[in-house]
Amino acid sequence: MDRGATSGVVASALGHGSFAITARHYVNPETLANAKARKVSAALAASPSEPPSTDLYGLSAALAALSPDERAAVLRSVGKPV
């Protein structure tokens, strides 16, 4: 995940049916938070005139999985009051 692999690829490579099992047993929580932050950052940096390169469902899931502090940091980074 540090090198950009998706959660599904990591879970599949380990023979897991879902990423939840992988995350619980193998993924450093900091690595997971960093991957989520990179995904959000990439989506926010995309030009409005370009079609989104990020799966919007995946982005929504990543945002929903953020801790309250992480969500507040994302909101502050885009100028929204917390």
Side-chain angles (χ1 to χ4, degrees):
M1 293 193 72
D2 278 334
R3 295 189 178 137
T6 65
S7 57
V9 169
V10 174
S12 180
L14 294 171
H16 297 154
S18 75
F19 183 69
I21 294 168
T22 307
R24 190 175 323 127
H25 296 285
Y26 294 97
V27 178
N28 178 323
E30 186 175 313
T31 299
L32 187 56
N34 289 339
K36 290 174 186 176
R38 280 193 306 272
K39 189 172 188 177
V40 169
S41 178
L44 293 174
S47 168
S49 63
E50 298 174 14
S53 60
T54 303
D55 164 32
L56 293 180
Y57 175 78
L59 176 58
S60 294
L63 288 170
L66 293 175
S67 71
D69 289 339
E70 292 167 326
R71 275 194 297 277
V74 169
L75 290 171
R76 281 191 302 275
S77 74
V78 296
K80 298 290 182 186
V82 180

